[in-house]
Amino acid sequence: MDAQGRGRADDFDPADQWVFDPNTGNYELRLDPADAPAPQPADRGTPAPRRGSGPAGPEGGRGAGKSGSGTGQNGSGAGGPRRHGDTRELPAQRDRRAGSRSAGGGTTGGTPPSRRKPKPKKSAKKKALYWTSGALGFVLVAGCGGAFYLYQQLNGNISKVDVGKENPAVKDGPVNILIIGTDARSGKGNQGYGDAGSVGHADTTILMHVSKDRTNATALSIPRDMITDIPDCPTKKNGTTKTIPGERNVRFNTSLGQEDRDPGCTWRTVEKMTGLSIDHFMMADFNAVKELSEAVDGVEVCAAKPIDDPKSHLHLPAGKSVVKGEQALAFVRTRHSVGTGSDLSRIKLQQQFIGSMIRKMKSGDTLTSVPKLYDLAQAATKALTVDTGIGSAGKLVDLAKDLSRVDIKNITFATVPVLDNPKDRATVVLDEAKAAPLFQMIRADHSLSKTDGKDEKKDKGTSDDKQVPKAPADKVRVDVSNGGGPIGAAQETVDWLQNSKAAKLSTNAGNAPTKLAATRLEYAPNQADQAATLADWMGLPKSALKKTTADAGPKVPMKLILGKDFQGAGKSIEAPAKTPDGVQNVNADDKNICAK
């Protein structure tokens, strides 16, 4: 521990502050030797008093001891050592909340004997689960949160940025966390990695989406050199708010650091790009990789061929190696000796490293080691800058417990699909054809785990579309109204239906009387064939189809109300059930990935 306000500088190993309590079967933090539990009497005829209970003493404290009796030098209670046959009660453990001190320096009050049965001791396995119940399940954000119970010590490690949005640490529904790795050259351990004094960029950015039911998660890497638009960004500094103007057609990594942009600017850029609402951000620098890898005593990585990169100073033989410290940082930074030598190849290395780090953090030799958990908690909190919604160790613990329910086998790494930029070979542009369904899939909270594709269209069409033949295009009669889509969505859809699908009986019904979150198609029983055709064209899920009870007249149209989920004419309303072809994705638990 350092001695500058974040802990003590005593001459002992911080891990020795953890004391095993036989009454609970857990380790407890003892920052002061005086906090250690009082020795248990040999004679069990008089049970030890319950902590903090009993009648009120003269000064409002609780206990049976007389005011001013104090504690003897030997720490065994008022009046000296306890001898065999001595029936005097032992003093209760000091309780900072309930106890009060008398004029003589002792704690007033006492407690009646407790008849409560002692708690059963936890097994070694249960103790490990206790320690790791706060595991965030993601390296830069979390890894292992068990030691986060060092609230007071760890709170001082965490840096916060007010991005103008303060969401609760835990919520119902899906959770989106933005992980940012900055290449800032300032700060301890960050010098010597390129441009001296650089304010940094969004060098590594991963959007972690955790499903509503916490059964799966997607970690989506965003290429730093992708050309995109950065929206206007309000930033807070020294109590004042300044809006930094947005920019069009610039590198994604300039969303942080440049023009005094803070992580909130990267947050807003990703929201604009993906259509997802972000809940929290966590940012770390170069030093985080070094210290976290040291804390777990190294991370196993694999290279399909020897790596010899003079720029990153990485030298690895073919096959598996264990890296930590400077070598670990070199692994996640290298790109010239792997793949195509681009940032896209480096992303694959980073995903391999993070998956291996998660496995190491969740391994038995880490979970059952108090010193490792302590070092890991210190490294993680010192490395992090977060939003105010999770700006304390307590809030991080709450978030960690919630996210730890995701099994590593159900975490998928993917990369935003891009194409070479024809105007600048050093940059890339978004591959809209692949990115749109990918973002739609994540917004719909669908897992990116591989499937056989059998269920991809099972939720489209009418509930009885197997028995109802689809109507020809010239028989589809529908009024289209805008109930939440973009301005002009109804006319855009009518134009598409008439010109692309030859549905000449489609008309623009203007704005709907109410706004809808989801698109809806209302049809009569005798219009089921028309509904099946339109649902197939637009990719409507069954939940969007509402059948009335009575048949409609021959010239009565169906009613299509476009909701907020409408993305544009010709774009499926229903998200795909499997990862679109051509989108790079790997499983976090895959131990056989090697850099090529």
Side-chain angles (χ1 to χ4, degrees):
M1 295 292 292
D2 61 65
Q4 300 180 10
R6 291 179 177 172
R8 300 174 177 233
D10 302 5
D11 294 328
F12 52 79
D13 188 334
D16 291 338
Q17 293 174 285
W18 290 92
V19 180
F20 183 75
D21 186 342
N23 293 322
T24 64
N26 294 327
Y27 286 92
E28 294 184 0
L29 179 64
R30 304 290 184 187
L31 296 180
D32 190 330
D35 286 343
Q40 297 298 316
D43 184 357
R44 299 185 179 271
T46 306
R50 286 190 300 176
R51 183 176 180 178
S53 61
E59 295 183 41
R62 293 195 172 269
K66 295 180 181 180
S67 175
S69 61
T71 302
Q73 292 181 352
N74 55 16
S76 62
R82 182 178 176 88
R83 298 179 176 85
H84 182 69
D86 191 346
T87 58
R88 289 176 294 176
E89 292 184 351
L90 291 172
Q93 294 181 9
R94 185 173 62 189
D95 191 326
R96 293 178 178 86
R97 293 171 296 182
S100 61
R101 296 192 177 277
S102 67
T107 302
T108 62
T111 59
S114 171
R115 298 183 182 276
R116 183 181 297 173
K117 294 181 180 180
K119 295 181 180 179
K121 296 182 179 180
K122 290 184 174 70
S123 67
K125 182 177 180 181
K126 288 185 177 179
K127 278 185 250 178
L129 291 174
Y130 172 83
W131 277 106
T132 59
S133 62
L136 285 177
F138 200 47
V139 54
L140 291 178
V141 280
C144 181
F148 280 166
Y149 288 101
L150 294 158
Y151 290 125
Q152 298 305 318
Q153 289 184 318
L154 300 183
N155 270 335
N157 293 345
I158 303 169
S159 299
K160 294 174 284 188
V161 173
D162 185 352
V163 297
K165 299 181 181 182
E166 186 162 345
N167 298 320
V170 177
K171 71 167 193 177
D172 294 330
V175 177
N176 296 305
I177 303 174
L178 191 64
I179 315 303
I180 306 172
T182 175
D183 59 353
R185 267 66 177 181
S186 59
K188 179 183 176 182
N190 294 318
Q191 297 84 4
Y193 296 108
D195 301 331
S198 171
V199 294
H201 306 74
D203 192 57
T204 298
T205 305
I206 299 173
L207 177 60
M208 184 180 180
H209 171 84
V210 183
S211 67
K212 177 180 180 179
D213 58 9
R214 306 298 187 261
T215 61
N216 64 87
T218 297
L220 185 65
S221 295
I222 302 175
R224 68 176 192 179
D225 296 323
M226 182 178 66
I227 299 299
T228 190
D229 296 337
I230 300 174
D232 292 347
C233 176
T235 61
K236 292 186 178 182
K237 193 172 184 179
N238 300 324
T240 61
T241 300
K242 171 186 175 183
T243 298
I244 301 173
E247 290 186 87
R248 293 179 61 82
N249 298 319
V250 293
R251 272 183 167 92
F252 172 81
N253 67 352
T254 60
S255 64
L256 176 70
Q258 314 309 299
E259 308 296 334
D260 290 328
R261 293 188 177 103
D262 66 13
C265 299
T266 307
W267 176 319
R268 290 170 173 82
T269 301
V270 174
E271 284 189 333
K272 180 179 176 65
M273 179 196 308
T274 64
L276 287 157
S277 179
I278 294 174
D279 299 290
H280 303 290
F281 87 86
M282 295 183 180
M283 182 172 71
D285 56 20
F286 284 136
N287 212 38
V289 176
K290 295 189 290 185
E291 295 197 0
L292 286 170
S293 60
E294 291 277 7
V296 297
D297 198 24
V299 177
E300 185 178 82
V301 296
C302 181
K305 61 181 181 180
I307 297 177
D308 188 6
D309 186 352
K311 292 192 175 182
S312 67
H313 307 293
L314 180 65
H315 307 283
L316 285 180
K320 294 184 178 181
S321 302
V322 175
V323 297
K324 60 181 177 181
E326 293 286 350
Q327 198 176 30
L329 178 59
F331 183 82
V332 298
R333 294 186 68 235
T334 193
R335 63 186 174 94
H336 295 287
S337 297
V338 294
T340 61
S342 68
D343 182 56
L344 298 178
S345 296
R346 175 162 51 189
I347 285 175
K348 294 179 181 180
L349 291 181
Q350 293 168 350
Q351 292 174 347
Q352 180 196 152
F353 180 87
I354 291 171
S356 183
M357 174 78 90
I358 297 173
R359 295 193 296 272
K360 185 63 177 288
M361 288 178 172
K362 289 180 173 289
S363 66
D365 61 342
T366 299
L367 302 185
T368 57
S369 171
V370 173
K372 281 187 179 180
L373 289 174
Y374 182 92
D375 291 344
L376 190 55
Q378 289 289 345
T381 51
K382 286 181 179 179
L384 289 177
T385 297
V386 301
D387 61 280
T388 52
I390 50 174
S392 70
K395 291 179 179 179
L396 282 173
V397 168
D398 292 339
L399 178 62
K401 286 181 178 179
D402 185 39
L403 303 189
S404 66
R405 293 151 57 188
V406 181
D407 194 308
I408 187 174
K409 295 179 180 179
N410 298 323
I411 299 176
T412 304
F413 288 107
T415 302
V416 171
V418 292
L419 299 169
D420 290 335
N421 185 359
K423 298 180 181 179
D424 180 6
R425 295 297 297 265
T427 62
V428 293
V429 295
L430 189 68
D431 185 344
E432 289 281 359
K434 295 176 183 176
L438 175 63
F439 296 156
Q440 185 183 23
M441 190 174 180
I442 298 175
R443 287 195 301 268
D445 204 25
H446 290 180
S447 173
L448 263 65
S449 60
K450 293 181 175 63
T451 67
D452 58 10
K454 291 179 180 178
D455 298 328
E456 184 176 3
K457 295 184 178 181
K458 71 176 183 179
D459 197 34
K460 296 178 183 177
T462 62
S463 58
D464 55 351
D465 57 0
K466 289 184 179 180
Q467 292 75 34
V468 179
K470 292 181 175 64
D474 60 352
K475 300 296 183 183
V476 175
R477 187 187 298 271
V478 60
D479 282 351
V480 183
S481 59
N482 191 352
I487 296 175
Q491 186 59 49
E492 177 191 358
T493 301
V494 169
D495 291 343
W496 176 74
L497 288 172
Q498 292 185 355
N499 298 326
S500 298
K501 298 298 181 182
K504 302 301 182 182
L505 299 180
S506 55
T507 56
N508 182 353
N511 291 325
T514 58
K515 299 293 184 182
L516 298 178
T519 298
R520 186 169 70 203
L521 175 62
E522 299 175 359
Y523 68 99
N526 61 335
Q527 295 171 328
D529 57 343
Q530 298 179 51
T533 300
L534 188 59
D536 183 62
W537 288 344
M538 298 192 64
L540 297 178
K542 288 181 180 179
S543 58
L545 306 180
K546 306 298 179 184
K547 184 166 63 173
T548 62
T549 56
D551 284 345
K555 293 187 178 181
V556 175
M558 300 183 293
K559 293 181 180 180
L560 176 65
I561 304 111
L562 304 176
K564 293 181 180 179
D565 59 349
F566 178 78
Q567 299 297 313
K571 295 182 179 179
S572 176
I573 300 293
E574 173 69 359
K578 71 170 185 175
T579 308
D581 292 338
V583 175
Q584 178 267 344
N585 67 101
V586 296
N587 188 275
D589 199 35
D590 190 340
K591 304 177 182 65
N592 299 314
I593 298 175
C594 287
K596 298 180 180 179

